[in-house]
Amino acid sequence: MGTSKLLHGAWVVTMDPDLHVYSDGAIYVEDDRIKALGPSSLILPSFSKQAHEILDLSGHWIIPGLINTHVHTSQQLARGIADDVDLLTWLHERIWPFESHMSVEDSYLSTLLCGIELIHSGVTCFAEAGGQHVEGMVSAVERLGIRACLARSTMDTGEGLPVSWDSETTDSCLKVQEELFSKFHGSAGGRIHVWFGLRQILNATDDLLLKTKELADKCGTGIHMHVAEIAFENKHVSETRNIEHGTVTYLSKIGLLDSNLLAAHSVWVNPNEVDLMAKASVKVSHCPASNLRMLGFAPIQEMLTAGVCVSIGTDGAPSNNRMSLVDEMYLASLIHKGKVAFTKGATDPSALPAECVLKMATTYGAKAVLQEKNIGSLEVGKKADLVVVNPNTWTMMPIHDPIASLVYCMRTENIDSVMCDGRWIMRSQKILTVDEAEVLNAASKASTELLKRANIHIPKRMNVCRSGCQQKNSI
Ligand SMILES: [Zn+2]
């Protein structure tokens, strides 16, 4: 027998095509789907008798589950190992050694730790950029109760690769991913999708690019790839692949730009390439914090104006540190207001308004992960992926414009409860599916061991006094 829940008395921000907001709304959930939604005065009398759980959410808001379209769950154990270093040091001396020494168990713990942070920030679905051990991620996602599009990090060429990746051939990269697809796609009651991964064009032969596209099309799934991250990438592509501009132009030429390509970052794209992306219905994951830190300003407004579906991602912990989509929404809105002033010489505080940022984190995110029929908005027939926000704190009061408050005022701490697939996975800020303290403890130990194995040393910045050292100015 199934379960049913009736939530009522809340401000319900549906993000449906008409952007309906109910000031006293109710949602009736049966098993994993929304069965009814509307004003409490209509829904409550109709469904209160049959509901197993009735929850009065007066003073609270309900929004769709947020969708993080670019995250490296395997890098969560690497938070803090590569702060304030240049990109090559970041990649060659810290991240690649870290990732290549990971075990399946490390990946499992890293994904659990990352998932805890994602759920606390209201995320019900994420797209993994590509880690080494997809089976570890699968176990963690199953347990967390969240929704995910998982991909394996795939590289068949490139300089400076760790030994363990050096041995990978184009065929082995493809074969492993095909196996992962047939084993895990649709698992965890359909919450897990398996995608094909391409780390970046600098680490992919044309053979890998083309065969990945062929396989993803055959399987009816997506491709997750870092695209046009840095100026050097475009330069390298134009020199080695004999093309005028960079990655996007080249991917268009060989037929990779398509509606099932999720292009992460996409910072260094010119106006012509923005048009190419729009025409091909490519999806972009905009990662505000990590772009600011290492890559630059992506032409997000230009993309949105051209009709590109732009969603939001956190990227991994070593390039952002915070895995909160709430923070990313706030940053996205600010960066592009500032960018207008910088590039056009005139301020425009209306650039990337709150309602647009909310779409990027919900409905556009759903399109980016190829699941817009099921998630991204609160509508009858869709999956019950939703977030309860408690705005009654010093971070958000007073409230005059709730939609603006969700983007400009809301903090991660205002996320109260999270439901995914009709099941509560967090209530009153307590994750229900895993023991948070246990995960934190195990992840911390695993991270220390992993850094030792990978021989990664983080230089000391200041004169840190450890216990037992001589205290200089004792009283
Ligand atoms: Zn990334």
Side-chain angles (χ1 to χ4, degrees), residues 66-293:
L66 304 178
I67 299 167
N68 183 346
T69 57
H70 185 71
V71 57
H72 295 253
T73 56
S74 297
Q75 291 180 359
Q76 194 77 3
L77 296 186
R79 171 150 57 193
I81 74 165
D83 292 324
D84 302 333
V85 297
D86 66 83
L87 194 60
L88 281 183
T89 308
W90 187 92
L91 196 61
H92 291 178
E93 292 178 26
R94 308 283 171 85
I95 302 306
W96 279 353
F98 168 87
E99 287 187 3
S100 62
H101 283 82
M102 282 193 103
S103 64
V104 177
E105 178 67 15
D106 289 330
S107 182
Y108 170 68
L109 285 172
S110 195
T111 307
L112 281 184
L113 185 64
C114 186
I116 286 172
E117 191 168 358
L118 294 178
I119 294 168
H120 272 289
S121 80
V123 167
T124 51
C125 177
F126 71 85
E128 163 67 42
Q132 290 313 101
H133 302 289
V134 173
E135 53 274 56
M137 299 175 202
V138 166
S139 308
V141 170
E142 269 178 347
R143 197 170 155 203
L144 286 161
I146 199 169
R147 206 178 288 286
C149 300
L150 303 178
R152 184 172 181 270
S153 183
T154 307
M155 302 187 271
D156 70 343
T157 186
E159 285 174 21
L161 286 178
V163 183
S164 57
W165 282 332
D166 237 0
S167 56
E168 293 218 343
T169 63
T170 309
D171 285 346
S172 69
C173 287
L174 296 164
K175 191 167 169 276
V176 173
Q177 291 185 97
E178 261 189 302
E179 285 167 4
L180 289 169
F181 183 85
S182 57
K183 202 168 170 191
F184 297 119
H185 188 74
S187 62
R191 285 186 286 109
I192 292 176
H193 287 199
V194 175
W195 282 36
F196 284 79
L198 286 164
R199 189 85 180 210
Q200 55 166 325
I201 199 163
L202 301 175
N203 297 112
T205 60
D206 276 12
D207 206 20
L208 182 63
L209 294 173
L210 294 169
K211 284 181 177 159
T212 298
K213 169 69 177 152
E214 204 180 300
L215 273 177
D217 287 353
K218 191 180 96 183
C219 295
T221 194
I223 301 170
H224 198 146
M225 177 182 184
H226 295 89
V227 172
E229 287 186 282
I230 49 174
F232 171 78
E233 180 186 321
N234 281 339
K235 189 168 169 279
H236 188 274
V237 170
S238 73
E239 282 171 7
T240 56
R241 280 159 156 129
N242 195 25
I243 196 137
E244 205 170 301
H245 197 247
T247 307
V248 172
T249 307
Y250 190 70
L251 293 180
S252 171
K253 187 187 161 197
I254 64 170
L256 216 89
L257 288 195
D258 207 343
S259 57
N260 64 345
L261 176 66
L262 176 54
H265 301 293
S266 305
V267 174
W268 296 84
V269 293
N270 67 22
N272 184 49
E273 291 176 323
V274 168
D275 284 342
L276 290 174
M277 294 173 107
K279 277 191 194 115
S281 301
V282 168
K283 315 302 191 313
V284 167
S285 178
H286 175 43
C287 304
S290 88
N291 285 0
L292 270 183
R293 183 162 150 176

